[in-house]
Amino acid sequence: MTSLMIDQLRAWTSAGWLRPLDLAFAQFLIRLDPQAPALLPLAGALLARLEGEGHTCIALEDFLGAPERFLDWPAPGHAMLATALGDWPHAAQWTETLARSRCVQVTERNAPVPANGAETPLVLSAARLYLRRYWRDQQFIAEALRQRAQQRVADAANPEALRPWLEQLFPASDEPGDALPWQKIACALALRSHFSIITGGPGTGKTYTAARFMALLMATSSTPLRIVLAAPTGKAAVRIDESLQSAVGTLPQLSQIPDMTAAFARLRPARTLHSLLGARPDSRRFRHDAANPLELDVLVVDEASMIHQEMMAALLRALPPAARLILLGDQDQLASVEAGAVLAELSLGSGKYDAETCHYMQASCGAAPRPGDNGPSPLAANIIRLQRSHRFNAEIGALADAVHGGHPETAVRILQTAHTGTLAWQPAPAIHRILELARPESAYGRVWQAAGQPPPKDRQQHSAWVKTILNDYAGFRILCALRQGPWGVTGINRAIEDYLQRQGILQSRGLWYAGRPTLVTRNDPNLGLSNGDIGIALPDPDKRLRVYFPNSEEAPRAILPSRLNHTESAWAMTVHKAQGSEFAHTVLILPPEDSPVLSRELLYTAITRARKCFTLIAPRERLENAIQRQTRRMSGLHAALYDPRR
């Protein structure tokens, strides 16, 4: 039976339904246990395949009830899978059958894993099948966060003493009606605990609140604090620095901090999590861990929705026990590319506060919600969701709300009746419409016009010229749902470059040309570049081609194209790559054909990248299907966090 199952898995791999890696893992399990039941290689291959799609386990009841919700297979593939699962259609039968294999450890509830000498590749617990490392990371994250959430900071023991400080930092609430001052409450709760989450959509004031929290720490601490900023990607790290600089400009003057701007300027620039932890080449290990913890007192991490489960576990292992951790992010955005949806799992408990927490809010902030029922988890008391956006105009905000709420009819109506200067919709995708975005009067066209001019010879004037081109490019972006295909990033980039050549603008068919926007696709510590960084190829004062990258307030960085080994053109980029960014005008292209990546979260993320104008190029059917398709990653983290018995 086992050999027949391996033959079946080989056939599915040949058909493209499984990856060679998935088959190899199934074969590895059989080598460890040649007498195993046939379910073992099948379960192993499916688990590996689903891990590649971002799931950290197989939640058996959900998966067996509707495998097509989780596997992007054609109808014949699902029919064959249903036949293969015929002997094990229920979770109890998986548990009973797999328990006979030496490759599987079956645990009850959330029992500890055995010592290293007794480890198995797979763990089956609470009707969920895990790769061991995901099980181990899940259990560690849940226990570490529960401990931090219950660990109170002694300096915040007197909430009445905090109230004057908070009133200085938040002098008047502009919330409508009787809405609670959630930014002030978020600051107060972050001060009380060693772990907190401030979540909310773009423009809801997460960085604004974090800046006030840091100012309060600086003003009230008896000793200087080592405050560190971080983000999952280089682009997000640059973005939090920019946002923080803007937020510092709105801070009131505190007597304990004579020069607020100088105090924040002394903070180191934000770093990527990989850089912070000390990533080692060709290894999953980091230089900083429990034996060599990070040297910091407060860690603020932005764009936390992009943190995958393995990274969160590594971060918590390296965090000193007495350090505070504050996560900022939007729980409704796309989850991380790698396995896990940590912020979404954590934030499911938001809005439920126990009586003690509500009393603390009232005493420190002068306002509080009603206590929650059913004994809210200690973790939930450390999560604040900001809801009012100060970024969007009413139409973009309404469209984002309709998508987030799963209301396709409302979204269609908004797009059909919106003011054309804010929202635009082209229901019939056409390449010529997309190519209009590269015409001379367009945003991209302005970049090309500038790039085609002789560069200024004066170094200072040249630097200003480069900054202007980078700013023009940064205000507009084409986003794609797919990476490959004619309507994906590769197809749109190629179509724009072909158009530019036909127009006589692009003189060379080589990789590098003046005006080429360039996306870095791999971290390069030697050059100080991170995956996701974007520059533009332009001539230097001596007319030699360089790639210029934004560099905060300083002159743009210039790098020889020959030193950039991992790049691609960036006229268009995926929605995933755009996370952590905002553009005055954002264009989203959905393909005519359906795809499982077209989801509510992808649409919401793309729409909320737009600050002033959003254009959708997509058939109505694709739009409606995407709004109705909500991404759900199988994970046991939420249950481990909020229900330790499961």
Side-chain angles (χ1 to χ4, degrees):
M1 287 292 292
T2 302
S3 62
L4 292 176
M5 180 60 72
I6 291 293
D7 290 341
Q8 182 68 79
L9 297 178
R10 287 197 183 99
W12 292 354
T13 304
S14 298
W17 305 338
L18 293 175
R19 304 170 300 175
L21 176 65
D22 309 329
L23 174 62
F25 182 66
Q27 293 170 324
F28 165 73
L29 294 176
I30 293 302
R31 288 196 298 272
L32 290 180
D33 187 2
Q35 305 305 315
L39 177 59
L40 180 68
L42 174 62
L46 292 174
L47 182 59
R49 177 71 175 82
L50 289 163
E51 186 269 344
E53 296 298 318
H55 303 276
T56 59
C57 68
I58 298 180
L60 297 180
E61 294 177 358
D62 290 345
F63 177 76
L64 295 174
E68 66 278 1
R69 292 174 54 200
F70 304 100
L71 289 171
D72 179 24
W73 287 10
H78 285 295
M80 292 183 182
L81 178 60
T83 300
L85 293 173
D87 293 332
W88 314 281
H90 304 296
Q93 292 162 316
W94 277 58
T95 301
E96 180 182 351
T97 304
L98 291 176
R100 299 198 295 268
S101 172
R102 67 179 66 175
C103 294
V104 181
Q105 178 206 353
V106 181
T107 69
E108 294 298 328
R109 300 186 184 276
N110 275 344
V113 294
N116 289 345
E119 285 191 350
T120 58
L122 303 178
V123 175
L124 184 57
S125 176
R128 297 181 181 92
L129 180 67
Y130 298 84
L131 294 170
R132 175 166 291 276
R133 63 187 175 93
Y134 286 109
W135 159 263
R136 182 184 62 242
D137 287 347
Q138 172 187 290
Q139 299 304 97
F140 174 77
I141 291 170
E143 182 59 27
L145 291 184
R146 277 198 300 269
Q147 289 181 5
R148 286 185 175 276
Q150 296 177 70
Q151 188 177 359
R152 296 288 180 252
V153 178
D155 293 345
N158 184 357
E160 289 82 2
L162 290 177
R163 190 161 180 171
W165 288 102
L166 292 170
E167 288 176 351
Q168 285 187 72
L169 292 166
F170 301 90
S173 173
D174 63 351
E175 298 293 340
D178 58 352
L180 294 171
W182 286 112
Q183 293 178 343
K184 182 190 291 187
I185 290 172
C187 189
L189 291 185
L191 196 73
R192 182 183 69 153
S193 173
H194 283 257
F195 172 71
S196 60
I197 295 175
I198 302 175
T199 182
T204 52
K206 297 184 293 293
T207 309
Y208 174 94
T209 304
R212 278 152 176 75
F213 166 69
M214 287 186 277
L216 183 57
L217 286 177
M218 293 176 187
T220 58
S221 176
S222 58
T223 58
L225 293 173
R226 297 167 297 177
I227 301 176
V228 174
L229 307 176
T233 67
K235 180 174 57 180
V238 171
R239 178 65 184 152
I240 188 177
D241 280 337
E242 295 172 346
S243 299
L244 188 63
Q245 185 178 19
S246 175
V248 169
T250 67
L251 281 169
Q253 190 62 47
L254 301 179
S255 58
Q256 283 75 6
I257 310 178
D259 190 339
M260 189 73 70
T261 302
F264 275 86
R266 286 192 287 270
L267 299 178
R268 287 189 59 182
R271 304 167 64 183
T272 66
L273 291 175
H274 280 87
S275 172
L276 177 69
L277 294 174
R280 296 174 175 175
D282 305 318
S283 172
R284 305 181 80 97
R285 296 181 179 275
F286 295 97
R287 183 166 58 87
H288 289 288
D289 54 19
N292 181 29
L294 295 164
E295 296 181 356
L296 53 80
D297 301 302
V298 181
L299 177 60
V300 179
V301 184
D302 197 18
E303 296 296 340
S305 64
M306 302 166 68
I307 303 177
H308 55 88
Q309 182 172 293
E310 186 176 12
M311 176 59 76
M312 178 59 76
L315 182 63
L316 290 171
R317 289 189 179 99
L319 202 62
R324 305 176 197 239
L325 174 63
I326 297 90
L327 301 180
L328 312 177
D330 185 351
Q331 68 189 70
D332 299 316
Q333 284 191 30
L334 285 166
S336 59
V337 174
E338 297 184 56
V342 176
L343 186 68
E345 295 281 310
L346 293 174
S347 301
L348 284 175
S350 63
K352 301 175 182 177
Y353 303 105
D354 56 67
E356 186 268 334
T357 297
C358 292
H359 174 76
Y360 175 85
M361 292 179 186
Q362 185 68 47
S364 59
C365 303
R370 294 175 60 87
D373 298 326
N374 303 322
S377 163
L379 187 64
N382 297 278
I383 303 171
I384 294 290
R385 181 165 188 172
L386 307 178
Q387 299 184 19
R388 185 186 177 201
S389 177
H390 301 268
R391 176 188 297 179
F392 308 122
N393 60 39
E395 290 180 322
I396 293 178
L399 179 61
D401 289 343
V403 169
H404 173 253
H407 305 299
E409 301 87 355
T410 304
V412 168
R413 184 175 67 253
I414 291 171
L415 286 166
Q416 289 176 333
T417 61
H419 187 272
T420 55
T422 302
L423 294 176
W425 182 23
Q426 298 176 13
I431 287 294
H432 76 274
R433 292 287 184 88
I434 297 170
L435 295 179
E436 290 177 357
L437 302 173
R439 295 173 61 181
E441 63 272 18
S442 69
Y444 281 176
R446 291 194 298 274
V447 172
W448 260 106
Q449 285 181 319
Q453 298 171 358
K457 292 186 177 298
D458 178 80
R459 298 285 174 179
Q460 202 166 17
Q461 292 178 0
H462 183 273
S463 177
W465 176 73
V466 171
K467 283 185 178 181
T468 298
I469 296 175
L470 289 171
N471 288 337
D472 282 344
Y473 172 76
F476 177 85
R477 200 58 45 87
I478 299 174
L479 304 182
C480 298
L482 305 178
R483 176 165 180 77
Q484 304 295 334
W487 301 100
V489 168
T490 56
I492 299 302
N493 279 327
R494 189 181 305 114
I496 290 177
E497 290 178 337
D498 288 345
Y499 170 79
L500 294 173
Q501 188 181 40
R502 291 196 303 271
Q503 298 299 311
I505 300 174
L506 194 159
Q507 302 296 328
S508 170
R509 284 297 291 175
L511 178 63
W512 294 103
Y513 53 86
R516 181 198 184 210
T518 304
L519 175 71
V520 177
T521 59
R522 188 178 299 180
N523 294 337
D524 191 334
N526 293 327
L527 295 177
L529 295 175
S530 300
N531 184 0
D533 287 348
I534 294 179
I536 296 182
L538 296 167
D540 67 10
D542 298 320
K543 299 185 179 180
R544 294 171 301 188
L545 201 64
R546 298 286 190 270
V547 183
Y548 290 90
F549 292 87
N551 192 23
S552 187
E553 295 300 314
E554 302 176 13
R557 295 182 57 205
I559 298 177
L560 283 170
S562 59
R563 300 188 66 191
L564 298 171
N565 298 318
H566 303 286
T567 65
E568 61 185 36
S569 295
W571 297 108
M573 59 194 298
T574 62
V575 178
H576 264 291
K577 289 288 188 183
Q579 282 186 269
S581 301
E582 68 173 35
F583 315 103
H585 184 183
T586 301
V587 176
L588 174 64
I589 301 172
L590 302 185
E593 302 80 18
D594 196 19
S595 168
V597 305
L598 304 183
S599 67
R600 183 182 305 176
E601 292 79 8
L602 181 136
L603 280 176
Y604 172 83
T605 302
I607 293 166
T608 54
R609 298 311 91 204
R611 191 170 64 251
K612 295 181 179 179
C613 184
F614 176 74
T615 299
L616 177 66
I617 301 176
R620 176 169 178 165
E621 183 182 8
R622 293 289 78 77
L623 170 64
E624 293 178 335
N625 288 350
I627 294 174
Q628 292 168 341
R629 180 185 286 125
Q630 188 170 16
T631 301
R632 182 185 177 192
R633 289 189 171 181
M634 290 184 286
S635 167
L637 181 58
H638 181 261
L641 284 162
Y642 291 99
D643 185 4
R645 298 170 301 171
R646 293 195 59 201

